[in-house]
Amino acid sequence: MKTVPIISVQEAAALVKPGDRLLVGGFGMTGNPVHLVHALAETDTGDLTYIANNVSEPGLSGGLLLRNGQLRKAIGSYFTSNPEAVKAHMAGTLQVELMPQGTLAEAIRAGGAGLGGFYTPTAAGTLIAEGAETKVIGGRDMVFVPALRGNVAFIRAWRADTAGNLQYRLTEQNFNSSMATAADLVIAEVEEIVEVGQIAPEQVHTPGLYVDYLVQAHLTLADLGSSADVKGGAKRIDEGRMNMARRALQELRPGAVVNLGIGIPTLVADLITPEHGVNLHTENGMLGVGPAPDGGGAMDYPVNAGKIPVTALPGASYFDSAASFGMIRGGHVDIAVMGGLQVDEAGNLANWAVPGKPLLGVGGAMDLAGGAGRLIILMTHSDPDGTPKIVPRCTLPLTTSGAVDMIITDKAVFSFVDGQLTLTELMPGATLDEVRLTTSASFIDRTKQTSSV
């Protein structure tokens, strides 16, 4: 069995050449090879194409490369999490290629599997798919996505043996295991290096044949950024939002696999008890999400798609991002509960492009909206200036077409009955006249046939 060389972070950084395409693992700062990237930031190597879910946090990992001016281009799914990346793009100093998160994960997996690309229904008919090759396959519009590979991959694992076999911890697989397959040169930063045989074969997540070099580096709380402590992810809570969360909970049946989007939907998670029997899924690689812990961070707990530390319920499992989005696109997630900016009379959803801001963050919204068996939208009934959010036709860039099944706002509950937008309930404190006044879409009123919450 081969022995993989163990090198320093400085030696690893020297292997990256100007103009390289650099794959960097991690979801936020969880599973992020922060020491490798920081070593690269100490060099003058630039003109890099940075391929990752996002450009980390300001001044951390990829955020430090960005601050140094070492990045020419970034390919990822959610750049709005780093305001400096948005500013650099607006200033013309950083090129950006935005991809839905599941498409990004699958493109990397395809690159590692020697495929030229693949067709996906995600983003069909949206701005992101403009100019892409499309086909109708099985009656669905599909978008062709080329595979992604890099010259070098920086990845992070928890343990390695001297043969390069890697074991990941909790939700740290995310993009790491796919990226380990998709670069000409793979360097793994690990917490611990053990002798061959000390990682049981069934615990090897990435076989050593993919790994060229090992670097040992120890994580600290400072390396985890906003995920260092659960208290850093405080939620906005008010009675209207809690009413929406309570009403959404009524739609979650025992045994259902449910994905909760960021924002208001995350409030639902704190209402779920083991007695509900709901199996929460998060797109960064976990099934069986439990409530947030009282304290502690990603050093001790997995994180959810909002990068907030959570607990794991009995029977939980971990996997990588490509597998997670395969579950979503494959129809294995029963319900997605997501936020929204607009929903229209045809069940179209717009929830990723904020008016007046650059189109730099889509995350997993398009995959979830089009792949879940049932789509429930939680959003305030109107914008802060009173503009209706339930409209005749979406004017904001679409997330998905015709997929919304239910809308729950702080004023009302709507369902699509026989394809028609139908008001079924009034929320506490709301009146029918108020709903009519603040809803610009046409709808059928069936509130007299149901009881309100």
Side-chain angles (χ1 to χ4, degrees):
M1 187 168 288
K2 75 169 185 176
T3 299
V4 173
I6 302 171
I7 61 176
S8 68
V9 289
Q10 292 79 15
E11 290 171 318
L15 296 172
V16 181
K17 306 303 180 189
D20 273 354
R21 290 164 64 90
L22 178 66
L23 295 166
V24 178
F27 186 81
M29 297 307 298
T30 301
N32 192 297
V34 61
H35 302 90
L36 285 172
V37 182
H38 283 185
L40 181 59
E42 294 176 358
T43 72
D44 59 1
T45 304
D47 195 35
L48 299 171
T49 296
Y50 188 89
I51 304 173
N53 185 51
N54 55 25
V55 192
S56 306
E57 298 184 11
L60 278 177
S61 192
L64 188 54
L65 294 179
L66 173 70
R67 190 173 284 180
N68 290 348
Q70 292 170 273
L71 304 184
R72 175 179 60 84
K73 182 178 181 179
I75 301 174
S77 81
Y78 204 73
F79 298 110
T80 52
S81 58
N82 186 337
E84 293 181 9
V86 177
K87 184 177 179 180
H89 177 66
M90 297 299 290
T93 59
L94 179 69
Q95 299 175 38
V96 165
E97 182 178 337
L98 185 65
M99 302 175 70
Q101 192 177 127
T103 299
L104 174 67
E106 190 66 14
I108 294 167
R109 191 202 68 80
L115 302 177
F118 57 97
Y119 285 93
T120 175
T122 301
T126 73
L127 282 177
I128 286 183
E130 283 188 354
E133 178 188 343
T134 60
K135 283 187 177 181
V136 177
I137 301 175
R140 300 182 71 185
D141 290 337
M142 299 274 183
V143 179
F144 181 76
V145 179
L148 275 177
R149 284 188 62 87
N151 301 105
V152 180
F154 283 175
I155 63 171
R156 171 86 193 180
W158 191 248
R159 300 174 80 206
D161 64 23
T162 54
N165 294 310
L166 304 181
Q167 179 182 12
Y168 302 101
R169 175 182 171 276
L170 307 176
T171 47
E172 293 175 356
Q173 287 190 58
N174 48 67
F175 286 88
N176 283 302
S177 54
S178 292
M179 286 183 173
T181 73
D184 302 328
L185 185 71
V186 176
I187 305 170
E189 173 187 312
V190 298
E191 188 75 16
E192 180 183 11
I193 300 174
V194 299
E195 294 299 319
V196 169
Q198 289 189 246
I199 301 177
E202 65 271 19
Q203 294 177 342
V204 172
H205 299 120
T206 293
L209 67 88
Y210 293 112
V211 180
D212 297 293
Y213 294 98
L214 294 173
V215 168
Q216 188 169 15
H218 300 295
L219 281 179
T220 68
L221 288 177
D223 299 325
L224 296 173
S226 61
S227 297
D229 194 292
V230 66
K231 296 174 184 176
K235 302 172 185 177
R236 180 181 171 188
I237 300 175
D238 57 41
E239 191 59 23
R241 281 173 162 74
M242 289 309 302
N243 282 338
M244 286 186 262
R246 294 184 192 105
R247 182 59 186 83
L249 181 63
Q250 297 178 24
E251 300 299 314
L252 310 185
R253 301 293 178 251
V257 176
V258 178
N259 187 293
L260 301 176
I262 60 176
I264 299 173
T266 61
L267 299 175
V268 181
D270 295 333
L271 301 176
I272 295 173
T273 66
E275 289 70 28
H276 287 105
V278 174
N279 203 358
L280 290 183
H281 170 277
T282 181
E283 55 262 39
N284 58 305
M286 182 179 180
L287 188 62
V289 178
D294 293 331
M299 195 77 81
D300 305 302
Y301 296 100
V303 301
N304 63 15
K307 305 177 184 67
I308 298 170
V310 293
T311 56
L313 296 179
S317 57
Y318 303 111
F319 32 87
D320 70 6
S321 293
S324 187
F325 280 97
M327 296 173 187
I328 294 166
R329 288 191 307 272
H332 306 291
V333 173
D334 299 307
I335 301 172
V337 184
M338 303 177 66
L341 297 173
Q342 287 181 335
V343 179
D344 67 21
E345 295 173 11
N348 300 321
L349 168 68
N351 80 340
W352 68 279
V354 179
K357 295 186 178 181
L359 307 181
L360 294 177
V362 63
M366 290 184 177
D367 304 272
L368 279 164
R374 189 164 178 240
L375 179 59
I376 300 173
I377 303 302
L378 270 60
M379 63 183 186
T380 56
H381 203 87
S382 308
D383 286 325
D385 64 359
T387 303
K389 296 171 75 170
I390 304 175
V391 295
R393 184 178 179 85
C394 289
T395 56
L396 298 175
L398 290 184
T399 303
T400 192
S401 299
V404 177
D405 295 287
M406 175 177 279
I407 310 164
I408 301 173
T409 77
D410 48 338
K411 299 184 186 302
V413 179
F414 293 85
S415 293
F416 286 86
V417 180
D418 297 327
Q420 292 185 302
L421 181 64
T422 304
L423 175 65
T424 59
E425 301 173 30
L426 296 174
M427 293 294 278
T431 66
L432 182 57
D433 286 343
E434 183 181 9
V435 170
R436 285 176 173 154
L437 183 65
T438 54
T439 306
S440 60
S442 298
F443 61 87
I444 297 171
D445 174 22
R446 291 190 179 173
T447 54
K448 294 179 181 179
Q449 302 176 31
T450 62
S451 59
S452 62
V453 295

